[in-house]
């Protein structure tokens, strides 16, 4: 049986975890709503909007890691390995796609200025 | 919504409608074939329901199988699903081969019907035969190999199964109501856009794939977490059996490769349903994005398919050669190298799309590089066999057929990796020959070998050896007859997906290929007969002690079938080939003291509920039955929230019960006669292996 003290500890921990999820949810929502609002009300030039959305997306990733996946960046070696591996695969996909679509755009006359 | 409660579902959707309206000869033949297929689905369903009712199995089915979170039962259900779908896809292949054999100047199928056949055949083979098969085998074997009691997320596992089954059911129902896509297994837009394919076909394809790729993503996460977190003490990564290594690699590929597919099909759905312009011809759409994203998924996918088979061959070759795997470390490195490289080559599927030559060259070279780790593996397997005491059991016959044929398929792949050559033969049946040459001997033979190898573990009795051999020979010869002619036909210029042709020179080769397909179907029938015979003679072939093949990894160290908690006591691993080490040091078959209460997950209806609701949502989306989508969408959300409040999610198997079952097994071990390897295929084999005399091992 947990003693009274431990029980209080557990309660406090549960509360902390709950709050952390609420924070996560709030941040994730904000980071989603802002880009939609920016597009809807056309606050900036299209290029600036794209850039800001890109940055917010990166922040969104960090938020998910921190609040939902519980990965803080200096914990376990396994976590780090997985992050590096993910980054590697995603950057291969991204770089390859940009290269391919740019080349296609150029050669098929699809780039519009 | 009220005017058309069934959306666009009308009587015309029935397969015989057209035939009754316009009864010309061609239409009638196609109508009869389509109606026959629909009847097979309907009758199959009715017979299954009738049999289950007749033997009062509904309760058993529900409480022992459908709601079970046990990875072993889920694995078995995946494999059953794979076999059912394999039957359909093979019959379609036979029909296509028949059409082409008689295709000089026409044949008997309409182009539309033929297009549906190759689209469903390809879609089923990849998503509803191959994926369930390998997922099922991994589900069954991997937790046992790492000494775990279950996967990390047992209920998620059951959800994955239900989603995959829902996708398969959607493809099946498309035989009865409406028609499937005619856009091939990859469904390229703009052809699959609403303007060119306004019917329900591409929608069936989109939602079937969505269901199955969601299931696969969950599976990938589940397996990877399990392998990372649930290994027995001492089971370091470099002590994992090779099959588990390939399972890990495949799971990681699933995690990263499925999302591009889900996104691409979702975008296509937005185009079709809400008038977006991602891939349309006009208004800024760009179909090349679809090709790019599809193959970002597609190429890793072919390694998702092949790697588990490589793992199976590694296990069977080592077991049936009576030797430790040669070059374990190099096999691990090769597997992981393939894992990464498989993300660097996707462009080779569209060399001819119009990008620059430097790009093609770079991806061509990357593609050829993959041949190196694959070659390493082939040599490792050969060295494993070298000076081993090889037993020509059924899995070994498949392994040898695989090694010969896969090298050929791989070589034609290296040819295709050269963009210059690809420009000549792409979209011809040369390509069809190539990818079947790797898919059939690689994936399919591997899975059937796995089925023979682990069947005794799962059901407690061996499969009939002779039936297995007949079937294996038919598969191998049938494959060669069915696909070697296609290399020649491809070089003669025959395009793939051709319903009919005017070149008489094709006819002899097409005829040979047709006979090959007949032989392949015969091989499948042989498997069916073998299963029937084996069940009939099961009492003579019991291997309850659990080690019929003198196995090397932990799954053989427990009874067959294993208890629901797998291990009475979690084993402690000291080296590679953990069970062989235990047998040699006398640590196998010991009483597991002290016994402890074991917590196992409780059954959950969440999987079947989400699967059924997922099917209904997809069906509603296909036919635009919006009330159905809304109702079942609500059910999905409600079910998940309700599950969130479930507190009693596990149940306890008492130490006393564990002790009783363990004792029962230990008694059987004590009674059993250890047998030498030359008797392993006789009924003397009770699953206890005689220690190998030292001569065999160097
Ligand atoms: C073993 C017997 C098999 C036979 C006789 C067979 C036969 C065929 C035939 C006749 C085609 C159409 C070729 C064409 O376009 O001209 C085809 C296409 C295809 N098959 Fe198979 N097949 C077999 C097994 C498999 C397996 C095991 C897989 C995959 C795991 C597979 C995947 C495919 C795919 C993806 C296509 C392309 C569909 C498309 O064009 O979109 N097949 N097969
Ligand atoms: Cu590829």
């Amino acid at each position: 049986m947990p003693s009274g003290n431990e029980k209080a500890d557990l309660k406090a921990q549960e509360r902390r975890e709950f709050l952390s999820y609420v924070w996560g949810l709030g941040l994730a929502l904000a980071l989603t709503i802002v880009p939609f609002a920016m597009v809807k009300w056309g606050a900036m030039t299209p290029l600036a909007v794209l850039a800001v959305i890109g940055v917010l997306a990166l922040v969104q990733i960090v938020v998910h890691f921190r609040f939902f996946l519980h990965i803080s960046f200096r914990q376990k070696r396994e976590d780090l390995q997985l992050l590096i591996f993910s980054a590697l695969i995603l950057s291969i996909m991204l770089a390859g796609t940009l290269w391919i679509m740019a080349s296609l755009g150029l050669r098929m006359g699809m780039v519009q200025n | 919504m009220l005017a058309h409660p069934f959306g666009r579902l009308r009587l015309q959707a029935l397969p015989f409608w057209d035939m009754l309206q316009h009864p010309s000869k061609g239409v009638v033949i196609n109508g009869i074939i389509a109606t026959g297929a629909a009847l097979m689905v309907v009758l199959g369903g009715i017979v299954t329901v009738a049999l289950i009712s007749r033997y009062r199995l509904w309760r058993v089915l529900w409480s022992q199988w459908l709601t079970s979170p046990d990875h072993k039962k889920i694995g078995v259900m995946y494999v059953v699903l794979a076999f059912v779908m394999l039957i359909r896809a093979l019959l379609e292949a036979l029909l296509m081969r028949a059409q082409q054999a008689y295709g000089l100047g026409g044949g008997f199928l309409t182009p539309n019907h033929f297009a549906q056949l190759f689209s469903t055949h390809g879609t089923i083979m990849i998503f509803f035969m191959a994926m369930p098969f390998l997922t099922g085998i991994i589900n069954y074997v991997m937790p046992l190999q790492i000494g775990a009691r279950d996967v990390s997320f047992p209920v998620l596992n059951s959800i994955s199964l239900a989603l995959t089954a829902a996708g398969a059911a959607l493809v099946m129902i498309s035989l009865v109501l409406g028609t499937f896509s005619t856009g091939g297994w990859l469904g390229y837009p703009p052809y699959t856009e609403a303007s060119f394919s306004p019917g329900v076909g591409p929608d069936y394809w989109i939602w079937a794939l969505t269901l199955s790729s969601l299931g696969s993503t969950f599976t990938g996460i589940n397996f990877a977490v399990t392998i990372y977190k649930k290994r027995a003490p001492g089971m370091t990564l470099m002590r994992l059996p090779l099959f588990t290594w390939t399972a890990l690699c495949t799971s990681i590929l699933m995690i990263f490769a499925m999302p591009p597919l889900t996104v691409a099909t979702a975008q296509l759905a937005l185009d079709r349903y809400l008038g977006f312009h991602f891939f349309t011809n006009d208004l800024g759409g760009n179909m090349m994005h679809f090709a790019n994203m599809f193959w970002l998924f597609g190429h890793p996918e072919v390694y998702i398919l092949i790697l588990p088979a490589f793992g199976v061959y590694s296990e069977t070759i080592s077991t049936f050669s009576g030797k430790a795997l040669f070059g374990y470390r190099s096999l691990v490195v090769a597997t992981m190298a393939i894992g990464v490289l498989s993300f660097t080559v996707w462009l080779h599927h569209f060399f001819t799309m119009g990008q620059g030559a430097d790009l093609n060259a770079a991806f061509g070279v990357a593609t050829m590089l993959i041949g190196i780790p694959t070659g390493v593996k082939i040599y490792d397997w050969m060295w494993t066999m070298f000076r081993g005491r090889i037993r020509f059991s059924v899995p070994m016959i498949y392994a040898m057929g695989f090694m010969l044929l896969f090298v050929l398929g791989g070589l034609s792949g290296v040819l295709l990796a050269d963009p210059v050559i690809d420009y000549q033969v792409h979209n011809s049946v040369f390509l069809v020959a190539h990818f079947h040459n790797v898919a059939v001997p690689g994936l399919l033979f591997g899975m059937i070998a796995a089925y023979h190898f682990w069947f005794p573990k799962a059901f407690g009795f061996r499969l009939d050896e002779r039936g297995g051999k007949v079937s294996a020979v038919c598969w191998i010869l049938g494959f060669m007859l069915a696909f070697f002619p296609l290399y020649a036909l491809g070089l003669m210029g025959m395009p793939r997906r051709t319903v009919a042709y005017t070149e008489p020179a094709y006819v002899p080769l097409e005829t040979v290929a047709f006979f090959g397909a007949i032989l392949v179907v015969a091989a499948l029938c042989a498997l069916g007969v073998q299963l029937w015979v084996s069940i009939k003679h099961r009492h003579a072939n019991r291997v309850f002690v659990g080690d019929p093949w003198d196995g090397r990894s932990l799954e053989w160290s427990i009874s067959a079938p294993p208890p629901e908690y797998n291990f009475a006591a979690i084993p402690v691993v000291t080296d590679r080939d953990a069970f062989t080490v235990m047998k040699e040091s006398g640590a196998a078959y010991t009483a597991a003291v002290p016994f402890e209460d074991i917590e196992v997950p409780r059954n959950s209806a969440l999987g079947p509920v989400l699967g059924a609701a997922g099917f209904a949502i997809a069906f509603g989306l296909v036919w635009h039955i919006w009330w159905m989508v809304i109702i079942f969408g609500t059910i999905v959300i409600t079910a998940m929230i309700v599950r969130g409040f479930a507190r009693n999610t596990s149940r306890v198997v008492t130490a006393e019960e564990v002790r009783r079952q363990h004792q029962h097994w230990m008694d059987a071990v004590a009674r059993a006669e250890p047998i030498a390897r030359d008797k392993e295929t006789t009924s003397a084999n009770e699953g206890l292996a005689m220690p190998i005399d030292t001569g065999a091992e160097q």
Side-chain angles (χ1 to χ4, degrees):
Chain A
M1 270 272 105
S3 68
N5 225 342
E6 278 174 38
K7 243 187 196 156
D9 261 12
L10 273 178
K11 266 254 143 53
Q13 193 191 341
E14 206 178 296
R15 203 179 147 65
R16 236 177 306 134
E17 270 185 19
F18 178 74
L19 273 182
S20 140
Y21 279 111
V22 173
W23 263 108
L25 183 65
L27 283 173
L29 270 181
L31 287 166
T32 311
I33 293 171
V34 170
F36 272 94
M38 274 179 8
V39 174
K40 167 84 187 157
W41 284 294
M44 289 176 250
T45 62
L47 202 66
V49 170
L50 277 180
V52 175
I53 292 180
V55 172
L56 291 184
L58 289 178
V59 180
Q60 178 85 271
I61 293 178
V62 178
V63 167
H64 278 241
F65 276 162
R66 168 75 181 72
F67 293 99
F68 302 141
L69 300 178
H70 306 293
I71 294 173
S72 61
F73 288 91
R74 56 196 128 70
Q75 249 178 13
K76 278 215 199 118
R77 228 180 96 189
E78 270 172 11
D79 285 358
L80 189 68
Q81 277 175 358
L82 289 178
L83 282 183
I84 293 177
F85 181 78
S86 312
L88 172 71
I89 298 297
L90 293 182
S91 47
I92 292 175
M93 289 182 171
L94 191 70
T97 299
L98 287 177
W99 190 14
I100 293 168
M101 295 320 288
S103 170
L104 276 169
L106 200 69
R107 291 167 49 92
M108 311 294 272
M110 289 168 59
V111 180
Q112 291 142 10
N113 301 320
Chain B
M1 203 152 111
L2 289 178
H4 296 291
F6 293 108
R8 46 179 174 165
L9 184 55
R10 306 288 146 76
L11 280 178
Q12 285 92 314
L14 292 169
F16 47 82
W17 192 260
D18 221 22
M19 163 171 90
L20 302 181
Q21 300 298 308
H22 325 275
S24 70
K25 184 163 161 253
V27 175
V28 169
I29 292 179
N30 284 274
I32 288 176
I33 294 176
T35 310
L39 265 183
M40 262 151 78
V41 173
V42 173
L43 282 183
I46 293 178
V47 169
T48 314
V49 168
L51 282 179
I52 296 174
S53 306
R54 164 90 173 66
Y55 293 102
R56 297 168 194 280
L57 292 176
W58 284 109
R59 181 177 294 274
V60 177
L61 186 68
W62 179 256
S63 62
Q64 307 270 318
W65 292 92
L66 295 181
T67 58
S68 169
D70 182 339
H71 71 96
K72 300 186 284 304
K73 293 197 167 147
I74 292 177
V76 170
M77 286 187 281
Y78 263 117
V79 174
V80 171
L81 175 68
F83 267 117
V84 171
M85 299 313 278
L86 175 65
I87 295 173
R88 169 167 170 198
L90 265 194
L91 290 180
E92 286 174 336
L94 184 67
L95 203 54
M96 283 191 283
R97 285 265 133 270
Q99 158 68 22
Q100 286 194 336
Y102 296 100
L104 183 64
F108 53 92
L109 290 180
T110 57
N112 194 47
H113 197 160
F114 188 78
Q116 270 188 65
L117 284 173
F118 66 68
S119 304
T120 42
H121 165 83
T123 307
I124 290 178
M125 279 294 193
I126 303 281
F127 294 100
F128 300 108
M129 189 288 285
M131 291 296 269
F133 215 143
L134 67 93
T135 310
I137 301 282
I138 296 177
N139 241 316
Y140 198 96
V141 175
M142 179 271 287
L144 298 179
Q145 284 198 333
I146 63 175
R149 294 223 160 98
D150 207 325
V151 292
S152 285
F153 310 113
V155 174
L156 186 66
N157 203 8
S158 130
I159 294 174
S160 302
L161 167 68
L163 291 178
T164 310
L170 203 62
V171 183
M172 287 314 245
I173 203 88
S174 77
L175 274 181
V176 185
L177 296 173
T179 54
F180 198 74
S181 170
T182 48
W185 82 281
L186 24 73
Y188 273 174
Y191 175 69
T192 46
E193 291 282 1
S195 42
F196 299 101
S197 304
V200 292
D203 300 324
Y204 266 128
W205 178 81
I206 288 173
W207 301 117
L209 254 63
T210 305
L211 287 169
S212 108
S213 60
L214 282 179
S216 300
T217 313
F218 297 154
T219 300
I221 295 173
N222 210 341
F223 287 166
V225 174
T226 306
I227 298 175
Y228 268 106
K229 301 286 184 194
K230 300 206 79 164
R231 280 169 284 144
M235 181 63 89
T236 57
L237 284 178
M238 285 319 268
R239 286 179 188 162
L240 286 178
L242 210 89
F243 178 72
T244 297
W245 263 113
T246 57
L248 176 62
C249 196
T250 280
S251 320
I252 295 175
L253 294 189
M254 282 183 188
I255 297 173
F256 288 98
M258 303 315 291
L261 175 68
T262 313
V263 171
T265 49
Q267 287 180 319
L268 185 59
L270 286 173
D271 278 5
R272 289 181 59 86
Y273 282 77
L274 298 176
F276 280 48
H277 294 276
F278 286 114
F279 311 125
T280 51
N281 275 340
D282 50 356
L283 297 171
N286 184 350
M287 58 290 229
M288 287 159 186
H289 276 301
F290 185 92
N292 183 61
M293 261 189 292
F294 186 89
W295 289 111
L296 268 175
F297 145 80
H299 191 87
E301 166 72 11
V302 305
Y303 283 92
I304 292 175
L305 299 184
I306 198 67
L307 284 174
F310 285 173
V312 171
Y313 292 126
S314 303
E315 304 288 325
T316 57
I317 289 178
S318 139
T319 304
F320 290 111
S321 304
K323 279 176 67 188
L325 202 55
F326 179 90
Y328 173 90
R329 202 169 279 273
S330 65
L331 279 166
V332 171
V333 173
T335 303
M336 291 328 256
I338 290 177
V340 174
L341 283 177
S342 71
F343 283 101
T344 63
V345 299
W346 73 95
L347 178 129
H348 64 213
H349 295 275
F350 48 91
F351 274 146
T352 55
M353 198 160 74
Q355 64 279 6
D358 46 350
L359 249 170
N360 276 358
F363 277 85
V365 172
T367 303
M368 292 177 198
L369 282 182
I370 288 201
I372 297 172
T374 315
V376 167
K377 291 190 162 208
I378 298 276
Y379 281 107
D380 279 335
W381 291 319
M382 292 198 322
W383 282 109
T384 306
M385 290 171 68
F386 182 65
R387 287 196 176 154
R389 290 198 177 168
I390 297 170
R391 287 114 68 194
F392 288 95
S393 57
V394 178
M396 203 61 192
I397 296 178
Y398 280 111
M400 294 176 42
F402 154 76
M403 278 161 60
L404 288 172
L405 294 174
F406 191 81
V407 168
L408 285 178
L411 283 178
S412 66
V414 175
L415 285 180
L416 286 168
D418 183 340
V420 182
I421 298 179
D422 185 73
Y423 259 84
Q424 303 303 315
V425 291
H426 94 104
N427 222 37
S428 74
V429 291
F430 187 90
L431 173 76
V432 175
H434 156 69
F435 70 68
H436 284 88
N437 203 164
V438 282
V440 177
L443 163 100
L444 191 60
F445 288 5
M447 291 302 113
I448 298 177
Y451 159 74
H452 282 87
F453 190 52
W454 281 300
F455 185 95
K457 178 51 59 181
F459 295 99
F461 58 94
R462 283 182 303 105
L463 284 170
D464 179 68
E465 200 69 14
R466 204 155 54 101
K469 283 185 179 155
V470 170
S471 177
V473 172
C474 286
W475 273 115
I476 293 173
L477 289 181
F479 161 78
M480 294 200 286
L481 288 178
F483 287 103
F484 285 172
L486 265 60
Y487 281 120
L489 281 169
L491 293 179
M492 288 157 75
M494 180 173 181
R496 74 189 281 200
R497 299 177 177 169
T498 305
V499 57
Y501 45 86
T502 51
E503 170 59 70
Y506 293 166
V507 175
L509 288 169
E510 282 290 352
T511 311
V512 175
F514 178 40
F515 278 109
I518 293 178
L519 207 52
V520 164
V521 173
L524 185 71
C525 296
L527 278 186
V529 174
Q530 178 207 30
L531 182 62
W532 192 67
V533 171
S534 311
I535 294 179
K536 229 174 109 190
H537 299 306
R538 63 187 177 280
H539 295 300
N541 295 326
R542 291 244 186 248
V543 288
F544 178 60
V545 173
D547 181 23
W549 317 123
D550 195 11
R552 310 181 73 86
S553 38
L554 288 175
E555 75 269 31
W556 305 109
S557 70
I558 50 179
S559 65
E564 67 167 328
Y565 42 82
N566 296 351
F567 296 92
I570 295 291
V572 177
V573 177
T574 54
D575 204 350
R576 243 171 249 160
D577 286 344
F579 186 46
T580 301
V581 174
M582 282 158 83
K583 283 190 278 194
E584 281 168 0
S585 66
Y589 308 114
T590 48
V593 279
F595 292 99
E596 286 174 350
D597 287 356
I598 296 176
E599 216 176 296
V600 294
R602 234 180 237 283
N603 282 17
S604 162
L606 190 62
V609 168
L610 290 191
F615 172 81
I617 293 174
F619 188 80
L621 282 167
V622 169
W623 290 100
H624 297 187
I625 312 176
W626 305 121
W627 56 265
M628 204 163 172
V629 178
I630 295 170
I631 291 180
F632 284 94
T634 320
I635 290 182
V636 166
I637 295 171
T638 318
M640 290 201 286
I641 294 177
V642 169
R643 170 73 191 178
F645 287 95
R647 280 292 166 266
N648 269 336
T649 54
S650 61
R651 120 188 108 75
V652 166
V653 182
T654 61
E656 178 48 32
E657 174 64 16
V658 176
R659 194 199 59 75
R660 201 185 56 72
Q661 291 186 5
H662 191 74
Q663 194 54 49
H664 175 61
W665 176 61
M666 286 300 285
D667 291 345
V669 174
R671 270 197 313 272
E673 188 71 34
I675 51 128
R677 286 305 96 204
D678 53 352
K679 294 218 192 66
E680 75 181 352
T681 53
T682 66
S683 48
N685 189 349
E686 293 171 77
L688 186 62
M690 188 185 276
I692 276 194
D693 57 62
T694 37
E697 222 126 20
Q698 302 96 14

